[in-house]
Amino acid sequence: MQDILAITKALADENRLRALMMLREQELCACQVIEVLGLAPSTVSKHMTILRQAGLVQARKEGRWMYYRLPQRSAAKPVKEALSFVKANLAESVQAKQDDKKLQRVLSVDRELLCKNQIKK
Amino acid sequence: MQDILAITKALADENRLRALMMLREQELCACQVIEVLGLAPSTVSKHMTILRQAGLVQARKEGRWMYYRLPQRSAAKPVKEALSFVKANLAESVQAKQDDKKLQRVLSVDRELLCKNQIKK
DNA sequence: TCTATACTTCGCCACATAACGAAATGAAAG
DNA sequence: CTTTCATTTCGTTATGTGGCGAAGTATAGA
């Protein structure tokens, strides 16, 4: 019960759903997620921790950068089902489409530049 | 997005997940849900309202009694998927099994007696 | 019509959660 | 080894949520 509840609680927030949708197609660096969601780095960090603890997201640290991705083959059944649910039902949402667009722009910017600009703001 | 969020938020509470599991096999009267969950009637009423607004539960009033059931044929796709997720992943949980047991006892009691006893407590 | 009763709504309280900025952490670069 | 900087942790605040009991609503029965 508690593992399922961790999943449903993790899904019960708009910004976390947006983050999961962004990770559909590719691994992303924290600063890229921060940029698209438009939230403070500390806030996004907390969201990603909640998603990770539910098993919905995996993370990998490379130097100063933290990369997030959806779990693949290895994921537990409830996790896979939850991610399928999210992907299937949000793909057509306005929010997901807007985020896709913004993400394309963000991905076209050099990552180091992106991070530095965030600091300045 | 908001409709999906209503669903995930509705699923993000242990007592609401328990209520959904109880409704798997049969329609139940409010007092029966109250009895198994062991919560105040007003609290259960609020939970059921949240489930109804997400479309996860349907209700029908018959005289003084309110009956709840899961939506069938008519349910929207996300609702069906969410309910499948819950059923598939909680069927084996300790909590669901305990609730099943308690529910069998509750169902064997005359409903009017059950309600009256709740008032007295 | 009056009472009993099944449920809901309201008002309140305690606690959880999301948000931010500041400070801490840790890895790379100078 | 000091600085830079991407990210996390911490402390705080505002808002949301779950819980209860009391009062309200609506229906059945006397």
Side-chain angles (χ1 to χ4, degrees):
Chain A
M1 172 69 99
Q2 292 315 307
D3 49 337
I4 300 302
L5 202 50
I7 291 174
T8 57
K9 284 189 177 210
L11 298 182
D13 177 271
E14 175 160 12
N15 291 318
R16 287 195 292 268
L17 291 179
R18 291 173 64 196
L20 289 178
M21 287 304 282
M22 284 193 268
L23 292 169
R24 255 178 316 169
E25 303 290 341
Q26 68 276 298
E27 182 175 74
L28 294 175
C29 160
C31 66
Q32 295 166 327
V33 179
I34 288 164
E35 188 67 22
V36 176
L37 290 184
L39 295 172
S42 60
T43 303
V44 173
S45 176
K46 213 196 236 172
H47 281 312
M48 299 314 285
T49 299
I50 290 168
L51 288 170
R52 285 172 69 183
Q53 286 176 349
L56 295 165
V57 156
Q58 293 182 342
R60 158 177 88 81
K61 194 167 191 177
E62 191 177 311
R64 280 173 291 179
W65 293 279
M66 182 64 100
Y67 291 93
Y68 297 107
R69 66 179 180 284
L70 299 188
Q72 9 270 357
R73 62 261 157 213
S74 58
K77 190 185 67 124
V79 167
K80 279 190 215 158
E81 289 182 13
L83 290 172
S84 298
F85 173 81
V86 171
K87 289 187 219 172
N89 294 295
L90 290 181
E92 297 306 317
S93 81
V94 175
Q95 186 64 256
K97 285 179 185 172
Q98 282 179 1
D99 288 346
D100 272 351
K101 253 193 194 166
K102 188 160 186 185
L103 183 56
Q104 290 318 309
R105 269 182 281 127
V106 165
L107 286 170
S108 72
V109 176
D110 181 68
R111 203 192 45 233
E112 303 220 20
L113 263 167
L114 181 65
C115 288
K116 287 192 185 171
N117 287 336
Q118 283 177 351
I119 297 283
K120 285 176 195 161
K121 266 184 277 190
Chain B
M1 172 68 100
Q2 292 315 308
D3 49 337
I4 300 302
L5 202 51
I7 291 174
T8 57
K9 284 190 177 209
L11 297 182
D13 177 89
E14 174 159 12
N15 291 318
R16 288 195 290 269
L17 291 180
R18 291 172 64 196
L20 289 178
M21 288 303 283
M22 284 192 267
L23 292 170
R24 253 179 317 169
E25 303 289 341
Q26 67 276 298
E27 182 175 74
L28 293 176
C29 159
C31 67
Q32 295 166 328
V33 178
I34 289 164
E35 187 67 23
V36 176
L37 291 183
L39 295 172
S42 60
T43 304
V44 173
S45 176
K46 213 196 241 174
H47 281 312
M48 299 315 284
T49 299
I50 291 168
L51 289 171
R52 285 172 70 183
Q53 285 178 349
L56 294 166
V57 157
Q58 293 182 343
R60 156 176 90 81
K61 192 165 189 178
E62 191 177 311
R64 282 172 292 179
W65 292 278
M66 182 65 98
Y67 291 93
Y68 297 107
R69 66 180 179 285
L70 300 188
Q72 7 271 357
R73 63 261 159 212
S74 58
K77 191 185 67 126
V79 167
K80 280 190 214 157
E81 288 182 14
L83 290 172
S84 298
F85 173 81
V86 171
K87 289 187 217 171
N89 294 295
L90 289 181
E92 297 306 317
S93 81
V94 176
Q95 186 63 257
K97 285 180 186 173
Q98 282 179 1
D99 288 346
D100 273 351
K101 253 193 193 167
K102 188 160 186 185
L103 183 55
Q104 290 317 310
R105 270 182 280 126
V106 166
L107 286 170
S108 71
V109 176
D110 180 67
R111 203 192 45 232
E112 303 220 22
L113 262 166
L114 180 65
C115 288
K116 287 193 186 171
N117 287 335
Q118 282 177 352
I119 297 282
K120 286 177 196 161
K121 264 186 277 191

